[in-house]
Amino acid sequence: MSALYEDLLLRIFLENTYAGPHFPLTFRDTPERPLITALHCSQVCRQWRSIFLSSSLIWGRLIDLIILVDTTDNWRKEIFARTGEAALWVYGFVDPSVWEFLSPFLQRNWRRVQVFVVMDINIMTSLNLQQKRWAFLKEPAPQLCRIDVEQDNPSMSGLPTSSLFGDDAPLLKDFSMRHKFQTNASWLSNLSSISFPPAFNMDEVLTTLRRMPRLEYLTVFNLGSDIPQALKQVPKLVLPNLRMLKIQANVHDTCVLLECITASPDCCLAIQGSLGSRPAQDNEGNTQYENAVKSYIMPFFPLHPPSALKFSIKGDLLVLEDPTPPIPRSNAWVRCFCIVLDISSLLSSSLIKELISSPWVPYINKFEFYAHRSSEHPDGLNNGAVISALDTFSSSAMILRTNDETLRQLLERPLSYTSTLFPHLITLNVNCPWRYPPVEEDPPDHEFLKLRKAIGRPVSVLDLGVLKNKPADMGYLEEHVGLLVKWETWDGHRREYLCGEGQPERLRFSNLQREI
């Protein structure tokens, strides 16, 4: 590294301390946080320290409130001074202790802020004090590109409802704030991403969207009022650049919004939540809902055949979605599809029939399956359409990810049913459960492995994921000779054991120490 030119080293350091601009709002204090990385790197040698101290661009991106709250006031001042006149990225938790040093800093430097992503913990704070703290948002923001403000008590937010940024934010592209903003602001026309909070009704959302020809990512939360009849006569809203549409609303509002927008075939649709009630109250409503959903997903899937699918039974709903791990709302730029269907209407559903017969089904290599059983909805696996969909969507999967509850429900089904599922299964991924002795019955994963062996389709790999403290003893797996058991320790090390090698104590995880 000492032989590298300083300009190349600077580029490497910028990459190592890069947190965005589309970084999610993370709340964990991890060693990988950019500010920690910068501090460590600046102490390696004189050359590196000189480069870091002379680069205000690096330090301007490191206003990490999660780290700064635990530092001394002198050290914060030192970090702020190192930013020079560079653009600022400010992100993390904001609580009363943070406001003590953040408020005066923002008042002096708001015009330099380029990225502002915070979670404000405003419990037990007066509205008057909140308004004083957020007064800087009324000032021009000539460098602001992204703002995302979450609050645990939006009704007492103190955020200004008018004159945001003094109507002067020419570079702003990504906007998300949980309060009502002016819908005629000049900066709206430049946005590529926006999130509408529940305070907006459908008419306001559609009116505002007409001012956003460049929009690519749109999130709409529960709409605030009934939809006017006049909306049925308004012309279609064309959003040719829209790539991601997330909706969390009741079924009626969801249908109207989908019908009012004309997007490109490349637009990914995610319908989240329970839709306020079952997706359809009658056949006519179900047909309207399915047709609205079809207009988005049928053009999208041929362009982006899914290699993985998450199949979840939640009460009276069947949810088909991208199995990408859950992410904070602030990261709107990850495209993840999600389709919610009414199980009681599946037998007559034309949408599920078209999905089952789609040419992209054989592309599904990884399948996540979860069946949640409750007293009101004891067993969604009794539905014939659910069984047919499960059988089809899992037909090419080589990896199955699930949990104990779901495996137990599968094992309750007739052998004639379970033996036909997952014909190409190689890897079973199930998080290692916390089973405390005594266990009166064989664990579901053990029973499932025995079933697979009995039908002549044994599983080759059992992946237990990340082990928690005191997980289950799983020495019983030793009887599955040739099964490769994989797991990850608490500190990120991957381990594996081939069953039948005569060391079943390696599977008695509750006896293992943290230094595994």
Side-chain angles (χ1 to χ4, degrees), residues 165-195:
F165 322 127
D167 202 24
D168 182 9
L171 302 181
L172 186 58
K173 300 296 182 184
D174 306 314
F175 179 85
S176 178
M177 295 175 68
R178 285 296 189 98
H179 84 305
K180 202 163 187 177
F181 50 86
Q182 283 185 308
T183 59
N184 60 351
S186 63
W187 44 265
L188 288 172
S189 61
N190 294 323
L191 292 183
S192 60
S193 172
I194 191 169
S195 175

PDB file of all heavy atoms in Angstrom, residues 165-195:
ATOM      1  N   PHE A 165     -37.436  24.401   3.136  1.00  0.00           N
ATOM      2  CA  PHE A 165     -36.215  24.788   2.427  1.00  0.00           C
ATOM      3  C   PHE A 165     -36.340  26.175   1.784  1.00  0.00           C
ATOM      4  O   PHE A 165     -35.609  26.472   0.846  1.00  0.00           O
ATOM      5  CB  PHE A 165     -35.858  23.750   1.348  1.00  0.00           C
ATOM      6  CG  PHE A 165     -36.116  22.326   1.739  1.00  0.00           C
ATOM      7  CD1 PHE A 165     -36.887  21.493   0.934  1.00  0.00           C
ATOM      8  CD2 PHE A 165     -35.603  21.819   2.921  1.00  0.00           C
ATOM      9  CE1 PHE A 165     -37.133  20.183   1.296  1.00  0.00           C
ATOM     10  CE2 PHE A 165     -35.852  20.496   3.294  1.00  0.00           C
ATOM     11  CZ  PHE A 165     -36.623  19.677   2.485  1.00  0.00           C
ATOM     12  N   GLY A 166     -37.259  26.994   2.271  1.00  0.00           N
ATOM     13  CA  GLY A 166     -37.462  28.298   1.660  1.00  0.00           C
ATOM     14  C   GLY A 166     -37.818  28.171   0.189  1.00  0.00           C
ATOM     15  O   GLY A 166     -37.575  29.082  -0.606  1.00  0.00           O
ATOM     16  N   ASP A 167     -38.422  27.022  -0.160  1.00  0.00           N
ATOM     17  CA  ASP A 167     -38.750  26.683  -1.551  1.00  0.00           C
ATOM     18  C   ASP A 167     -37.505  26.768  -2.453  1.00  0.00           C
ATOM     19  O   ASP A 167     -37.603  27.075  -3.646  1.00  0.00           O
ATOM     20  CB  ASP A 167     -39.840  27.592  -2.104  1.00  0.00           C
ATOM     21  CG  ASP A 167     -40.561  26.941  -3.302  1.00  0.00           C
ATOM     22  OD1 ASP A 167     -40.538  25.695  -3.387  1.00  0.00           O
ATOM     23  OD2 ASP A 167     -41.098  27.686  -4.131  1.00  0.00           O
ATOM     24  N   ASP A 168     -36.347  26.454  -1.842  1.00  0.00           N
ATOM     25  CA  ASP A 168     -35.080  26.529  -2.577  1.00  0.00           C
ATOM     26  C   ASP A 168     -34.248  25.282  -2.268  1.00  0.00           C
ATOM     27  O   ASP A 168     -33.442  25.259  -1.329  1.00  0.00           O
ATOM     28  CB  ASP A 168     -34.319  27.799  -2.172  1.00  0.00           C
ATOM     29  CG  ASP A 168     -33.016  27.965  -2.949  1.00  0.00           C
ATOM     30  OD1 ASP A 168     -32.797  27.205  -3.910  1.00  0.00           O
ATOM     31  OD2 ASP A 168     -32.211  28.842  -2.565  1.00  0.00           O
ATOM     32  N   ALA A 169     -34.488  24.222  -3.037  1.00  0.00           N
ATOM     33  CA  ALA A 169     -33.719  22.987  -2.911  1.00  0.00           C
ATOM     34  C   ALA A 169     -33.547  22.404  -4.310  1.00  0.00           C
ATOM     35  O   ALA A 169     -34.133  21.379  -4.663  1.00  0.00           O
ATOM     36  CB  ALA A 169     -34.433  22.001  -1.998  1.00  0.00           C
ATOM     37  N   PRO A 170     -32.733  23.049  -5.144  1.00  0.00           N
ATOM     38  CA  PRO A 170     -32.662  22.702  -6.570  1.00  0.00           C
ATOM     39  C   PRO A 170     -32.077  21.337  -6.869  1.00  0.00           C
ATOM     40  O   PRO A 170     -32.317  20.796  -7.941  1.00  0.00           O
ATOM     41  CB  PRO A 170     -31.769  23.812  -7.145  1.00  0.00           C
ATOM     42  CG  PRO A 170     -30.927  24.267  -5.985  1.00  0.00           C
ATOM     43  CD  PRO A 170     -31.831  24.164  -4.798  1.00  0.00           C
ATOM     44  N   LEU A 171     -31.325  20.737  -5.917  1.00  0.00           N
ATOM     45  CA  LEU A 171     -30.674  19.445  -6.167  1.00  0.00           C
ATOM     46  C   LEU A 171     -31.409  18.277  -5.511  1.00  0.00           C
ATOM     47  O   LEU A 171     -30.990  17.131  -5.651  1.00  0.00           O
ATOM     48  CB  LEU A 171     -29.221  19.477  -5.651  1.00  0.00           C
ATOM     49  CG  LEU A 171     -28.319  20.563  -6.249  1.00  0.00           C
ATOM     50  CD1 LEU A 171     -26.908  20.445  -5.669  1.00  0.00           C
ATOM     51  CD2 LEU A 171     -28.282  20.460  -7.768  1.00  0.00           C
ATOM     52  N   LEU A 172     -32.491  18.553  -4.802  1.00  0.00           N
ATOM     53  CA  LEU A 172     -33.181  17.513  -4.052  1.00  0.00           C
ATOM     54  C   LEU A 172     -33.797  16.474  -4.986  1.00  0.00           C
ATOM     55  O   LEU A 172     -34.557  16.808  -5.894  1.00  0.00           O
ATOM     56  CB  LEU A 172     -34.279  18.133  -3.183  1.00  0.00           C
ATOM     57  CG  LEU A 172     -35.012  17.187  -2.231  1.00  0.00           C
ATOM     58  CD1 LEU A 172     -34.043  16.513  -1.268  1.00  0.00           C
ATOM     59  CD2 LEU A 172     -36.090  17.946  -1.461  1.00  0.00           C
ATOM     60  N   LYS A 173     -33.466  15.197  -4.731  1.00  0.00           N
ATOM     61  CA  LYS A 173     -33.975  14.087  -5.547  1.00  0.00           C
ATOM     62  C   LYS A 173     -34.830  13.111  -4.737  1.00  0.00           C
ATOM     63  O   LYS A 173     -35.799  12.562  -5.257  1.00  0.00           O
ATOM     64  CB  LYS A 173     -32.805  13.317  -6.167  1.00  0.00           C
ATOM     65  CG  LYS A 173     -31.906  14.140  -7.070  1.00  0.00           C
ATOM     66  CD  LYS A 173     -32.652  14.644  -8.298  1.00  0.00           C
ATOM     67  CE  LYS A 173     -31.729  15.424  -9.220  1.00  0.00           C
ATOM     68  NZ  LYS A 173     -32.457  16.004 -10.380  1.00  0.00           N
ATOM     69  N   ASP A 174     -34.448  12.881  -3.484  1.00  0.00           N
ATOM     70  CA  ASP A 174     -35.103  11.850  -2.672  1.00  0.00           C
ATOM     71  C   ASP A 174     -35.695  12.488  -1.426  1.00  0.00           C
ATOM     72  O   ASP A 174     -34.969  13.063  -0.608  1.00  0.00           O
ATOM     73  CB  ASP A 174     -34.095  10.770  -2.281  1.00  0.00           C
ATOM     74  CG  ASP A 174     -33.385  10.203  -3.500  1.00  0.00           C
ATOM     75  OD1 ASP A 174     -34.076   9.906  -4.477  1.00  0.00           O
ATOM     76  OD2 ASP A 174     -32.140  10.075  -3.470  1.00  0.00           O
ATOM     77  N   PHE A 175     -37.025  12.353  -1.270  1.00  0.00           N
ATOM     78  CA  PHE A 175     -37.731  13.057  -0.207  1.00  0.00           C
ATOM     79  C   PHE A 175     -38.661  12.106   0.530  1.00  0.00           C
ATOM     80  O   PHE A 175     -39.506  11.440  -0.082  1.00  0.00           O
ATOM     81  CB  PHE A 175     -38.547  14.211  -0.796  1.00  0.00           C
ATOM     82  CG  PHE A 175     -39.334  14.993   0.214  1.00  0.00           C
ATOM     83  CD1 PHE A 175     -38.750  16.025   0.918  1.00  0.00           C
ATOM     84  CD2 PHE A 175     -40.670  14.689   0.464  1.00  0.00           C
ATOM     85  CE1 PHE A 175     -39.478  16.761   1.856  1.00  0.00           C
ATOM     86  CE2 PHE A 175     -41.406  15.403   1.390  1.00  0.00           C
ATOM     87  CZ  PHE A 175     -40.808  16.442   2.088  1.00  0.00           C
ATOM     88  N   SER A 176     -38.512  12.042   1.863  1.00  0.00           N
ATOM     89  CA  SER A 176     -39.410  11.237   2.687  1.00  0.00           C
ATOM     90  C   SER A 176     -39.492  11.861   4.070  1.00  0.00           C
ATOM     91  O   SER A 176     -38.511  11.890   4.817  1.00  0.00           O
ATOM     92  CB  SER A 176     -38.899   9.792   2.803  1.00  0.00           C
ATOM     93  OG  SER A 176     -39.742   9.034   3.646  1.00  0.00           O
ATOM     94  N   MET A 177     -40.677  12.377   4.410  1.00  0.00           N
ATOM     95  CA  MET A 177     -40.914  12.947   5.725  1.00  0.00           C
ATOM     96  C   MET A 177     -42.332  12.593   6.152  1.00  0.00           C
ATOM     97  O   MET A 177     -43.255  12.676   5.350  1.00  0.00           O
ATOM     98  CB  MET A 177     -40.708  14.470   5.707  1.00  0.00           C
ATOM     99  CG  MET A 177     -39.273  14.884   5.421  1.00  0.00           C
ATOM    100  SD  MET A 177     -39.050  16.676   5.252  1.00  0.00           S
ATOM    101  CE  MET A 177     -39.372  17.201   6.926  1.00  0.00           C
ATOM    102  N   ARG A 178     -42.477  12.201   7.418  1.00  0.00           N
ATOM    103  CA  ARG A 178     -43.773  11.750   7.897  1.00  0.00           C
ATOM    104  C   ARG A 178     -44.661  12.913   8.340  1.00  0.00           C
ATOM    105  O   ARG A 178     -45.178  12.924   9.452  1.00  0.00           O
ATOM    106  CB  ARG A 178     -43.576  10.770   9.058  1.00  0.00           C
ATOM    107  CG  ARG A 178     -43.096   9.384   8.650  1.00  0.00           C
ATOM    108  CD  ARG A 178     -44.135   8.696   7.784  1.00  0.00           C
ATOM    109  NE  ARG A 178     -43.792   7.300   7.560  1.00  0.00           N
ATOM    110  CZ  ARG A 178     -44.290   6.281   8.249  1.00  0.00           C
ATOM    111  NH1 ARG A 178     -45.145   6.522   9.224  1.00  0.00           N
ATOM    112  NH2 ARG A 178     -43.938   5.060   7.977  1.00  0.00           N
ATOM    113  N   HIS A 179     -44.802  13.912   7.502  1.00  0.00           N
ATOM    114  CA  HIS A 179     -45.742  14.977   7.793  1.00  0.00           C
ATOM    115  C   HIS A 179     -46.183  15.570   6.459  1.00  0.00           C
ATOM    116  O   HIS A 179     -45.588  15.317   5.414  1.00  0.00           O
ATOM    117  CB  HIS A 179     -45.114  16.048   8.693  1.00  0.00           C
ATOM    118  CG  HIS A 179     -44.309  17.075   7.964  1.00  0.00           C
ATOM    119  ND1 HIS A 179     -43.279  16.739   7.131  1.00  0.00           N
ATOM    120  CD2 HIS A 179     -44.410  18.429   7.935  1.00  0.00           C
ATOM    121  CE1 HIS A 179     -42.748  17.839   6.626  1.00  0.00           C
ATOM    122  NE2 HIS A 179     -43.422  18.875   7.076  1.00  0.00           N
ATOM    123  N   LYS A 180     -47.226  16.383   6.494  1.00  0.00           N
ATOM    124  CA  LYS A 180     -47.782  16.931   5.269  1.00  0.00           C
ATOM    125  C   LYS A 180     -46.952  18.119   4.807  1.00  0.00           C
ATOM    126  O   LYS A 180     -46.643  19.021   5.584  1.00  0.00           O
ATOM    127  CB  LYS A 180     -49.237  17.352   5.492  1.00  0.00           C
ATOM    128  CG  LYS A 180     -50.045  17.438   4.218  1.00  0.00           C
ATOM    129  CD  LYS A 180     -51.530  17.456   4.518  1.00  0.00           C
ATOM    130  CE  LYS A 180     -52.348  17.375   3.237  1.00  0.00           C
ATOM    131  NZ  LYS A 180     -53.799  17.321   3.518  1.00  0.00           N
ATOM    132  N   PHE A 181     -46.606  18.116   3.537  1.00  0.00           N
ATOM    133  CA  PHE A 181     -45.799  19.187   2.971  1.00  0.00           C
ATOM    134  C   PHE A 181     -46.602  19.896   1.876  1.00  0.00           C
ATOM    135  O   PHE A 181     -47.628  19.402   1.405  1.00  0.00           O
ATOM    136  CB  PHE A 181     -44.496  18.621   2.388  1.00  0.00           C
ATOM    137  CG  PHE A 181     -44.707  17.449   1.466  1.00  0.00           C
ATOM    138  CD1 PHE A 181     -44.983  17.635   0.116  1.00  0.00           C
ATOM    139  CD2 PHE A 181     -44.639  16.154   1.952  1.00  0.00           C
ATOM    140  CE1 PHE A 181     -45.188  16.555  -0.733  1.00  0.00           C
ATOM    141  CE2 PHE A 181     -44.843  15.062   1.113  1.00  0.00           C
ATOM    142  CZ  PHE A 181     -45.118  15.268  -0.231  1.00  0.00           C
ATOM    143  N   GLN A 182     -46.125  21.055   1.478  1.00  0.00           N
ATOM    144  CA  GLN A 182     -46.796  21.807   0.425  1.00  0.00           C
ATOM    145  C   GLN A 182     -46.673  21.076  -0.910  1.00  0.00           C
ATOM    146  O   GLN A 182     -45.587  20.635  -1.292  1.00  0.00           O
ATOM    147  CB  GLN A 182     -46.197  23.207   0.306  1.00  0.00           C
ATOM    148  CG  GLN A 182     -46.659  24.154   1.403  1.00  0.00           C
ATOM    149  CD  GLN A 182     -46.140  25.562   1.180  1.00  0.00           C
ATOM    150  OE1 GLN A 182     -44.953  25.769   0.992  1.00  0.00           O
ATOM    151  NE2 GLN A 182     -47.048  26.539   1.205  1.00  0.00           N
ATOM    152  N   THR A 183     -47.782  20.955  -1.609  1.00  0.00           N
ATOM    153  CA  THR A 183     -47.786  20.186  -2.863  1.00  0.00           C
ATOM    154  C   THR A 183     -47.514  21.037  -4.093  1.00  0.00           C
ATOM    155  O   THR A 183     -47.572  20.532  -5.209  1.00  0.00           O
ATOM    156  CB  THR A 183     -49.138  19.484  -3.030  1.00  0.00           C
ATOM    157  OG1 THR A 183     -50.188  20.463  -3.042  1.00  0.00           O
ATOM    158  CG2 THR A 183     -49.372  18.488  -1.904  1.00  0.00           C
ATOM    159  N   ASN A 184     -47.214  22.320  -3.881  1.00  0.00           N
ATOM    160  CA  ASN A 184     -46.901  23.175  -5.030  1.00  0.00           C
ATOM    161  C   ASN A 184     -45.469  23.705  -4.970  1.00  0.00           C
ATOM    162  O   ASN A 184     -45.130  24.680  -5.634  1.00  0.00           O
ATOM    163  CB  ASN A 184     -47.881  24.347  -5.109  1.00  0.00           C
ATOM    164  CG  ASN A 184     -47.826  25.218  -3.851  1.00  0.00           C
ATOM    165  OD1 ASN A 184     -47.196  24.855  -2.868  1.00  0.00           O
ATOM    166  ND2 ASN A 184     -48.503  26.360  -3.896  1.00  0.00           N
ATOM    167  N   ALA A 185     -44.629  23.056  -4.167  1.00  0.00           N
ATOM    168  CA  ALA A 185     -43.244  23.503  -4.032  1.00  0.00           C
ATOM    169  C   ALA A 185     -42.495  23.308  -5.351  1.00  0.00           C
ATOM    170  O   ALA A 185     -42.720  22.340  -6.082  1.00  0.00           O
ATOM    171  CB  ALA A 185     -42.551  22.731  -2.917  1.00  0.00           C
ATOM    172  N   SER A 186     -41.582  24.196  -5.641  1.00  0.00           N
ATOM    173  CA  SER A 186     -40.857  24.143  -6.914  1.00  0.00           C
ATOM    174  C   SER A 186     -39.939  22.930  -7.004  1.00  0.00           C
ATOM    175  O   SER A 186     -39.728  22.385  -8.097  1.00  0.00           O
ATOM    176  CB  SER A 186     -40.035  25.423  -7.087  1.00  0.00           C
ATOM    177  OG  SER A 186     -39.054  25.538  -6.060  1.00  0.00           O
ATOM    178  N   TRP A 187     -39.409  22.470  -5.857  1.00  0.00           N
ATOM    179  CA  TRP A 187     -38.450  21.362  -5.884  1.00  0.00           C
ATOM    180  C   TRP A 187     -39.107  20.010  -6.159  1.00  0.00           C
ATOM    181  O   TRP A 187     -38.405  19.030  -6.431  1.00  0.00           O
ATOM    182  CB  TRP A 187     -37.658  21.308  -4.582  1.00  0.00           C
ATOM    183  CG  TRP A 187     -38.467  21.492  -3.333  1.00  0.00           C
ATOM    184  CD1 TRP A 187     -38.674  22.650  -2.646  1.00  0.00           C
ATOM    185  CD2 TRP A 187     -39.177  20.467  -2.616  1.00  0.00           C
ATOM    186  NE1 TRP A 187     -39.475  22.432  -1.546  1.00  0.00           N
ATOM    187  CE2 TRP A 187     -39.785  21.095  -1.497  1.00  0.00           C
ATOM    188  CE3 TRP A 187     -39.346  19.101  -2.781  1.00  0.00           C
ATOM    189  CZ2 TRP A 187     -40.561  20.399  -0.579  1.00  0.00           C
ATOM    190  CZ3 TRP A 187     -40.118  18.395  -1.872  1.00  0.00           C
ATOM    191  CH2 TRP A 187     -40.710  19.044  -0.786  1.00  0.00           C
ATOM    192  N   LEU A 188     -40.413  19.936  -6.115  1.00  0.00           N
ATOM    193  CA  LEU A 188     -41.088  18.659  -6.377  1.00  0.00           C
ATOM    194  C   LEU A 188     -40.813  18.144  -7.788  1.00  0.00           C
ATOM    195  O   LEU A 188     -40.729  16.930  -8.014  1.00  0.00           O
ATOM    196  CB  LEU A 188     -42.597  18.813  -6.176  1.00  0.00           C
ATOM    197  CG  LEU A 188     -43.094  18.957  -4.734  1.00  0.00           C
ATOM    198  CD1 LEU A 188     -44.571  19.304  -4.717  1.00  0.00           C
ATOM    199  CD2 LEU A 188     -42.831  17.685  -3.936  1.00  0.00           C
ATOM    200  N   SER A 189     -40.660  19.034  -8.739  1.00  0.00           N
ATOM    201  CA  SER A 189     -40.510  18.617 -10.137  1.00  0.00           C
ATOM    202  C   SER A 189     -39.204  17.884 -10.403  1.00  0.00           C
ATOM    203  O   SER A 189     -39.078  17.194 -11.412  1.00  0.00           O
ATOM    204  CB  SER A 189     -40.608  19.843 -11.057  1.00  0.00           C
ATOM    205  OG  SER A 189     -39.570  20.763 -10.768  1.00  0.00           O
ATOM    206  N   ASN A 190     -38.230  18.016  -9.498  1.00  0.00           N
ATOM    207  CA  ASN A 190     -36.937  17.362  -9.698  1.00  0.00           C
ATOM    208  C   ASN A 190     -36.823  16.017  -8.986  1.00  0.00           C
ATOM    209  O   ASN A 190     -35.829  15.308  -9.164  1.00  0.00           O
ATOM    210  CB  ASN A 190     -35.804  18.269  -9.197  1.00  0.00           C
ATOM    211  CG  ASN A 190     -35.674  19.530 -10.019  1.00  0.00           C
ATOM    212  OD1 ASN A 190     -35.859  19.506 -11.238  1.00  0.00           O
ATOM    213  ND2 ASN A 190     -35.378  20.642  -9.364  1.00  0.00           N
ATOM    214  N   LEU A 191     -37.817  15.657  -8.191  1.00  0.00           N
ATOM    215  CA  LEU A 191     -37.697  14.457  -7.364  1.00  0.00           C
ATOM    216  C   LEU A 191     -37.686  13.185  -8.205  1.00  0.00           C
ATOM    217  O   LEU A 191     -38.426  13.049  -9.177  1.00  0.00           O
ATOM    218  CB  LEU A 191     -38.848  14.385  -6.369  1.00  0.00           C
ATOM    219  CG  LEU A 191     -38.888  15.445  -5.254  1.00  0.00           C
ATOM    220  CD1 LEU A 191     -40.042  15.174  -4.313  1.00  0.00           C
ATOM    221  CD2 LEU A 191     -37.572  15.490  -4.491  1.00  0.00           C
ATOM    222  N   SER A 192     -36.859  12.231  -7.761  1.00  0.00           N
ATOM    223  CA  SER A 192     -36.869  10.892  -8.344  1.00  0.00           C
ATOM    224  C   SER A 192     -37.454   9.879  -7.365  1.00  0.00           C
ATOM    225  O   SER A 192     -37.793   8.763  -7.751  1.00  0.00           O
ATOM    226  CB  SER A 192     -35.451  10.466  -8.743  1.00  0.00           C
ATOM    227  OG  SER A 192     -34.592  10.454  -7.616  1.00  0.00           O
ATOM    228  N   SER A 193     -37.587  10.269  -6.082  1.00  0.00           N
ATOM    229  CA  SER A 193     -38.150   9.373  -5.070  1.00  0.00           C
ATOM    230  C   SER A 193     -38.936  10.176  -4.058  1.00  0.00           C
ATOM    231  O   SER A 193     -38.478  11.226  -3.595  1.00  0.00           O
ATOM    232  CB  SER A 193     -37.023   8.604  -4.363  1.00  0.00           C
ATOM    233  OG  SER A 193     -37.524   7.870  -3.262  1.00  0.00           O
ATOM    234  N   ILE A 194     -40.128   9.693  -3.712  1.00  0.00           N
ATOM    235  CA  ILE A 194     -40.951  10.372  -2.712  1.00  0.00           C
ATOM    236  C   ILE A 194     -41.791   9.352  -1.955  1.00  0.00           C
ATOM    237  O   ILE A 194     -42.179   8.309  -2.501  1.00  0.00           O
ATOM    238  CB  ILE A 194     -41.870  11.441  -3.349  1.00  0.00           C
ATOM    239  CG1 ILE A 194     -42.509  12.304  -2.268  1.00  0.00           C
ATOM    240  CG2 ILE A 194     -42.937  10.810  -4.225  1.00  0.00           C
ATOM    241  CD1 ILE A 194     -43.214  13.541  -2.793  1.00  0.00           C
ATOM    242  N   SER A 195     -42.053   9.654  -0.687  1.00  0.00           N
ATOM    243  CA  SER A 195     -42.928   8.842   0.148  1.00  0.00           C
ATOM    244  C   SER A 195     -44.038   9.729   0.685  1.00  0.00           C
ATOM    245  O   SER A 195     -43.777  10.759   1.314  1.00  0.00           O
ATOM    246  CB  SER A 195     -42.129   8.231   1.306  1.00  0.00           C
ATOM    247  OG  SER A 195     -42.972   7.531   2.190  1.00  0.00           O
TER     248      SER A 195
END
